Amino acid sequence: MAIHEQLKKIILDTLPGVECVIGWGPGQDALHGSPVFMRKPEDVDSFMDTPLGAFGAVNNLALFLPELSGKKVGVVVKGCDSRSIVQLVAEKLIKREEVVIIGFPCEGAADLTKIEKALPEGREAGEVTGAAIVGETLKLSLGSEEISLGLADIKADKCTRCKTPGAVISDAFAGIAGKAPEVRDEYADLAALEAMSLDERFKFWEREMSRCIRCYACRNACPLCVCRDHCVAGSRSPHWITQTDSTRDKLMFQIIHATHLAGRCTGCGECQRACPAGIPVLLLKRTFNRGVAEIFGYDAGMDTEATPPLLTFQVEEAHIKEREWQ
Amino acid sequence: MKIGVFICHCGSNIAATVDVLKVVESAKSMPEVVYAVNSMYTCSEPGQQAIEEAIKERGLTGVVVASCTPRMHEPTFRRTVERAGLNRYMFEMANIREHVSWVGKDKAANTAKAVDLVRMAVEKLRLDKVLIPKFIPATRKVLVIGGGVAGIQAALDCAEGGMDVVMVESEPSIGGKMSKLDKTFPTVDCSSCVLGPRMVDVAQNERIELHAYSEIASISGYVGNFDVTIRKKATYVDWDKCTGCGLCTEKCPSKKSYDRFNEGMGETTAINIPFPQAIPKKATITAASCRLLSGGKCGVCAKICTSQAVDYTQKDREITVKVGAVVAATGYDLMDWTVYGEYGAGRYPDVITSLQYERLLSASGPTGGHIRRPSDGREPKEVVFIQCVGSRDPSVGRPYCSGFCCMYTAKQAILTKDHIPDSRSYVFYMDIRSPGKGYDEFTRRAQEEYKAQYIRGRVSTVYPKGDKLVVKGVDTLVGEQVELEADLVVLAVGGEASQNAPKLAEKLRISYDGYGFFMEGHPKLKPVETNTAGVYLAGSCQGLKDIPSSVAQGSAAAAKVLGLLSKDKLESDPQTAGVDVKRCVGCRKCINVCPFGAIREVDMRGQIKAEVIEAVCQGCGLCTATCPQGAVQLSHFTDNQVLAEVEALCQS
């Protein structure tokens, strides 16, 4: 049985005990998918009923869990999404017993920006009339035109460094979880940024942030952003960010956002995926992630019992030798 | 708001490198400033009077003083504005001395920086709110941690002042390091004759509740209302029944237990009373050496005990007490001198520490007061003392001077001559540090009257040769190498903070320095206070000191406790955190970071919200910095106030 059929069966089995099961369904066009909230057995028909199937399951559905806390819900997760759940549980933002986690062996998800870039000059994703995955290629039809793209070329960057293709924690699992691949995140994406001088780097961010339209899609897509209606971005007291249209204020928000996520971010990349202006905001968070891994040996979203290092107070940190006088 | 700004010259401390008048002129144009003036010494009586008059005559509603560090004079000026009718929190201080005039020479740059700091203070003041302190009831009882001479003094003085005292000592007897000493400098009077009666006073004083062989498990609460959990370690002897007759110690068949009291200079029985003057004089079983408790068969002590006090099933137990103040008097440990390979790193039995030597000198010690070499029991004739072992030595991480070693070495040299008249003592020293009353005369007596040969220089190596030890060193005054053949080498090992000091500091929520010594509130003006209200320090836990200084600090800490708890109610600092429940999303991050347990979670119409327990909050601001949505704000240091300061700085 295909993975997505197995998943459907698990969802149907799960439905009676939960408010709903969150999964992926069809979106506005052949390429885009959309989250579906399945409450009744017939809702399950639309699950992964898309040309891209599991490859198109891009959204991190853990996003919806904090808001649904208090209700028992099921959620289908890729490995990376499950890390967000682990982190939410570790921070006690959701209760483990309120979530039924359904995992599957993820083979990677699409990066729609990469697909759009691969389309012929002037063509948009909305014009794609048909899509199908055949072996290791994605075949797209734009009217009469046929395009073939290698899956490896249109996979999200995070998938190339993924060490958790199966769910970190799950209550039900479709198929057999493969062995976790031996990958080391070398943070290669940060290298180019760090090769720049401070001045160049600041100019880089000013240039990138100048495109920001302050839609806060980055924030809204982040499963670990918990302030919701009380975000500093909209607050007058404390008045951290002004309402003036300045690049620096826009960058200020990104820096606050990254700081709030330091030691919490699992690198799911939803912020960057959601950005309509294509600003590489994940780089800021990954810079923190690397630092947290180096200093505290902590990788967010791997252990529900772990204490995030920046959400605790210790007089003496194991890895920061403040008091060594030699 | 009508703000008055007072810029202090501090004599020439500030005025020499800051153009004070220019700062005054700039201040006049700052928002809401209606009055700005310079003052020679703002903290002096006329200086404070000028502030009071200006408040009354000009109707000021807020005051900025630009002078020195707020650590010292913020309370002074708060009282000043309060006398003139303002709320004491409608006051801000700009530090243009420590942060400006003392650290920079460029007058123009200094003046500009002073203006910036004044502008920041004005901007913060504009957002200041009136804060009213609350009054909290206090428990009139004090916890003294440590039963050394400092703790004993503090406990007796507190009890004398009518305060109930709970004393906790980790060893089976109080007395501390002083009880191990034979004689004390500079009077060469018997240590236990001086200390013994005071120990008895502790035992007999009805106001003092003594818990020996006990530890602090946890402390919660705040000034006036600390809840202390004391862990009473299992002694396997019911101390209510034990009469201290010592019969068990005579009959115990396990006689190879490490003798802690005698610094390992002898061996003791598994069940023992550490020394004849022990308080409480009760027996304790060392479980690891006890034949029965380590799994074998025995039970001799239980059989012999006439009062059936031995109880092999005893477990650690915890008791709780409520106290209003805490005196930490946990003393020190000797540093581990075996890091010194040149002195044999512990391989040679006849290289001993000064404290071990004290036990050899003591009439109640393992040799009955006869100096005998640990290796063969022979009386040494040539004794070499090496000073500064683990003191003033950055290479082993001990750059500080332990303070008392010069003196006790002189004392030990004198006593050596007393005990063995035909002996010769040599002292390798770096400098003789003897700046106390009668101290320098004492070290001179050691040299002139008792003929101890003082050699200024370090020892490079000690190695055995036959039954002697060769000590190679240098005499830097003569500029020659020295080689001595010694029978006994005594190392004047320096002190270090007790092993458990940092852990206790965390429980007490007080700071400690890089070496583990507890931090006093102010190096000069608050030597026995800490930065945590209601916690005081006495003795070597704050920094190494000799007996007179430790006793003085014990009394000083007692005076502070008596002063603090002379009232039934204490004023709480209103500079605490508060939660805006509308903004709080119940993420609990503040609860996790609070080092004081001052935030709890409450259910508000089905939603989780954070709530600050004001009396417990110390105003450290960790929660404020952690709260992602700015729902937790620290009164008097709100985000908006900090941002206003940053803004003032960035836009200048």
Side-chain angles (χ1 to χ4, degrees), chain B residues 321-538:
Chain B
V321 289
K322 221 174 160 53
V323 297
V326 179
V327 175
T330 50
Y332 68 99
D333 284 338
L334 287 192
M335 74 91 69
D336 175 19
W337 70 273
T338 57
V339 296
Y340 287 101
E342 60 264 47
Y343 306 143
R347 285 194 306 274
Y348 316 133
D350 293 334
V351 178
I352 62 172
T353 71
S354 45
L355 204 52
Q356 288 174 324
Y357 195 55
E358 288 289 339
R359 296 315 301 149
L360 294 185
L361 291 167
S362 169
S364 63
T367 55
H370 301 291
I371 306 173
R372 305 231 177 265
R373 307 202 318 167
S375 60
D376 54 10
R378 198 163 57 78
E379 190 171 72
K381 298 293 178 194
E382 308 277 319
V383 183
V384 170
F385 294 91
I386 304 174
Q387 296 221 255
C388 298
V389 177
S391 295
R392 303 177 66 194
D393 189 350
S395 73
V396 295
R398 294 290 180 277
Y400 55 81
C401 170
S402 293
F404 42 53
C405 321
C406 285
M407 293 306 298
Y408 73 61
T409 300
K411 176 196 72 183
Q412 289 178 341
I414 288 174
L415 292 174
T416 306
K417 196 77 178 170
D418 268 346
H419 281 247
I420 311 166
D422 61 341
S423 69
R424 285 183 67 85
S425 291
Y426 303 87
V427 179
F428 281 92
Y429 72 101
M430 284 165 75
D431 300 287
I432 302 174
R433 298 192 159 175
S434 51
K437 192 173 177 180
Y439 282 15
D440 206 56
E441 298 92 311
F442 185 74
T443 51
R444 283 199 164 273
R445 251 173 74 204
Q447 296 171 56
E448 290 161 7
E449 221 173 288
Y450 289 85
K451 308 290 178 209
Q453 196 180 331
Y454 271 63
I455 304 161
R456 188 181 187 280
R458 304 292 290 154
V459 168
S460 61
T461 180
V462 175
Y463 60 88
K465 185 180 168 193
D467 66 346
K468 294 224 165 208
L469 290 159
V470 178
V471 180
K472 274 189 165 181
V474 62
D475 185 335
T476 55
L477 295 181
V478 183
E480 272 183 1
Q481 295 208 345
V482 187
E483 198 172 308
L484 296 168
E485 287 197 0
D487 296 313
L488 186 67
V489 175
V490 180
L491 305 177
V493 180
E496 63 181 14
S498 307
Q499 208 87 86
N500 289 326
K503 269 194 204 135
L504 181 67
E506 283 161 36
K507 287 176 188 160
L508 290 170
R509 301 176 313 239
I510 58 177
S511 338
Y512 52 97
D513 66 16
Y515 307 112
F517 292 114
F518 299 154
M519 291 290 282
E520 62 279 7
H522 185 282
K524 285 146 209 135
L525 297 163
K526 289 182 176 177
V528 296
E529 289 100 318
T530 63
N531 284 330
T532 300
V535 179
Y536 302 95
L537 307 174

Side-chain angles (χ1 to χ4, degrees), chain B residues 172-173 212 235 237-245 248-249 271-275 278-285:
Chain B
S173 167
T235 57
V237 175
D238 183 341
W239 281 8
D240 291 333
K241 289 183 187 161
C242 176
T243 59
C245 70
C248 53
T249 66
I271 185 164
N272 73 82
I273 298 170
F275 57 106
I279 297 287
K281 198 175 178 199
K282 307 284 180 189
T284 304
I285 298 178

Side-chain angles (χ1 to χ4, degrees), chain B residues 274-339:
Chain B
F275 57 106
Q277 301 92 335
I279 297 287
K281 198 175 178 199
K282 307 284 180 189
T284 304
I285 298 178
T286 311
S289 331
C290 174
R291 290 189 182 175
L292 190 117
L293 287 171
S294 52
K297 277 195 181 140
C298 184
V300 169
C301 50
K303 274 187 220 117
I304 204 91
C305 181
T306 50
S307 49
Q308 281 88 46
V310 178
D311 172 10
Y312 300 114
T313 62
Q314 207 182 65
K315 296 263 176 317
D316 289 6
R317 63 196 173 92
E318 292 192 344
I319 58 162
T320 54
V321 289
K322 221 174 160 53
V323 297
V326 179
V327 175
T330 50
Y332 68 99
D333 284 338
L334 287 192
M335 74 91 69
D336 175 19
W337 70 273
T338 57
V339 296

Side-chain angles (χ1 to χ4, degrees), chain B residues 2-182:
Chain B
K2 288 168 107 175
I3 296 172
V5 181
F6 299 82
I7 318 282
C8 187
H9 288 247
C10 196
S12 60
N13 273 311
I14 291 170
T17 54
V18 172
D19 188 339
V20 173
L21 292 176
K22 218 167 176 176
V23 182
V24 171
E25 278 320 300
S26 306
K28 282 180 179 161
S29 62
M30 290 175 195
E32 299 189 276
V33 172
V34 295
Y35 181 61
V37 71
N38 55 318
S39 164
M40 190 49 85
Y41 288 104
T42 319
C43 60
S44 68
E45 201 186 4
Q48 292 191 50
Q49 234 154 31
I51 297 176
E52 287 181 57
E53 278 161 22
I55 292 172
K56 285 175 188 155
E57 284 166 19
R58 293 163 197 275
L60 301 181
T61 55
V63 169
V64 170
V65 170
S67 56
C68 48
T69 163
R71 275 285 289 265
M72 180 68 218
H73 279 314
E74 192 173 58
T76 310
F77 293 123
R78 279 185 177 163
R79 284 196 297 272
T80 309
V81 300
E82 202 164 45
R83 277 201 302 276
L86 293 190
N87 179 272
R88 73 174 85 143
Y89 295 98
M90 300 309 285
F91 167 77
E92 288 300 331
M93 211 160 165
N95 183 356
I96 60 168
R97 193 178 71 180
E98 282 84 345
H99 287 178
V100 182
S101 70
W102 279 358
V103 289
K105 286 186 181 143
D106 180 341
K107 198 163 182 173
N110 277 2
T111 306
K113 186 174 171 188
V115 170
D116 281 348
L117 292 177
V118 171
R119 184 179 294 114
M120 287 165 71
V122 168
E123 289 298 344
K124 176 162 185 266
L125 177 64
R126 293 176 70 200
L127 297 170
D128 272 345
K129 294 237 162 39
V130 167
L131 299 178
I132 312 282
K134 291 197 172 111
F135 287 88
I136 44 175
T139 308
R140 300 195 70 241
K141 197 177 209 177
V142 59
L143 168 73
V144 176
I145 309 171
V149 67
I152 289 173
Q153 185 71 24
L156 289 174
D157 283 1
C158 284
E160 180 80 2
M163 189 76 57
D164 287 331
V165 181
V166 179
M167 179 182 268
V168 174
E169 165 61 49
S170 63
E171 295 288 329
S173 167
I174 59 168
K177 294 283 187 295
M178 188 177 169
S179 62
K180 298 188 180 190
L181 306 182
D182 177 38

Side-chain angles (χ1 to χ4, degrees), chain A:
Chain A
M1 203 172 7
I3 287 295
H4 104 273
E5 290 302 332
Q6 289 187 41
L7 279 170
K8 276 186 178 178
K9 193 174 172 307
I10 295 172
I11 296 168
L12 282 170
D13 290 344
T14 307
L15 266 183
V18 296
E19 188 89 7
C20 66
V21 175
I22 316 170
W24 302 274
Q28 74 253 34
D29 55 46
L31 289 178
H32 287 90
S34 166
V36 285
F37 292 75
M38 295 165 276
R39 289 166 204 280
K40 301 184 291 291
E42 53 266 39
D43 295 341
V44 181
D45 296 342
S46 66
F47 177 74
M48 278 195 185
D49 184 22
T50 59
L52 267 54
F55 191 67
V58 290
N59 306 57
N60 183 350
L61 304 173
L63 172 71
F64 304 104
L65 296 176
E67 267 181 279
L68 289 167
S69 77
K71 293 171 186 157
K72 185 154 182 154
V73 290
V75 62
V76 190
V77 292
K78 306 188 287 294
C80 49
D81 309 337
S82 76
R83 291 182 59 185
S84 301
I85 298 181
V86 169
Q87 189 64 20
L88 288 167
V89 171
E91 293 184 28
K92 300 191 178 66
L93 292 166
I94 58 172
K95 291 199 179 85
R96 176 66 184 90
E97 63 273 19
E98 284 180 358
V99 193
V100 178
I101 304 164
I102 303 164
F104 67 96
C106 174
E107 288 173 355
D111 182 337
L112 292 182
T113 316
K114 285 187 185 173
I115 299 179
E116 283 201 311
K117 275 197 185 138
L119 295 180
E121 193 70 25
R123 307 303 289 269
E124 285 177 13
E127 298 171 47
V128 174
T129 48
I133 293 175
V134 183
E136 282 303 301
T137 53
L138 172 68
K139 297 205 182 295
L140 298 175
S141 31
L142 286 104
S144 57
E145 231 174 308
E146 292 279 330
I147 298 165
S148 242
L149 300 170
L151 286 191
D153 301 327
I154 53 169
K155 225 182 241 185
D157 286 339
K158 66 174 174 180
C159 306
T160 63
R161 48 182 183 249
C162 175
K163 55 183 179 186
T164 58
V168 179
I169 48 170
S170 61
D171 299 296
F173 199 86
I176 298 148
K179 239 185 98 180
E182 294 276 327
V183 277
R184 235 182 88 85
D185 191 350
E186 303 290 351
Y187 291 91
D189 48 341
L190 297 181
L193 196 61
E194 278 163 0
M196 297 179 195
S197 69
L198 264 186
D199 202 36
E200 286 169 342
R201 219 182 302 170
F202 193 66
K203 288 215 174 79
F204 167 83
W205 282 113
E206 280 202 311
R207 193 168 59 243
E208 291 293 326
M209 291 314 299
S210 67
R211 297 201 303 277
C212 171
I213 55 170
R214 286 194 165 190
C215 68
Y216 295 117
C218 50
R219 174 193 71 187
N220 298 350
C222 176
L224 286 161
C225 219
V226 293
C227 309
R228 302 288 160 198
D229 297 342
H230 302 289
C231 178
V232 288
S235 162
R236 297 294 173 106
S237 179
H239 203 179
W240 277 96
I241 297 161
T242 73
Q243 271 59 39
T244 54
D245 177 35
S246 77
T247 311
R248 289 186 183 213
D249 271 304
K250 294 170 181 174
L251 183 57
M252 177 77 169
F253 172 75
Q254 287 305 330
I255 289 166
I256 292 178
H257 187 34
T259 312
H260 283 181
L261 285 162
R264 306 174 59 227
C265 173
T266 62
C268 75
E270 287 292 89
C271 47
Q272 186 157 319
R273 189 182 67 78
C275 180
I279 302 168
V281 288
L282 184 62
L283 290 176
L284 292 170
K285 284 130 205 169
R286 285 188 36 85
T287 306
F288 269 115
N289 285 358
R290 185 180 54 184
V292 168
E294 278 171 5
I295 297 168
F296 300 103
Y298 180 80
D299 213 358
M302 298 302 288
D303 179 4
T304 54
E305 299 302 315
T307 307
L310 297 179
L311 296 184
T312 182
F313 174 76
Q314 263 151 16
V315 174
E316 206 77 59
E317 281 289 351
H319 304 285
I320 306 175
K321 299 291 177 212
E322 267 182 281
R323 290 177 195 281
E324 284 208 341
W325 50 81
Q326 284 179 48

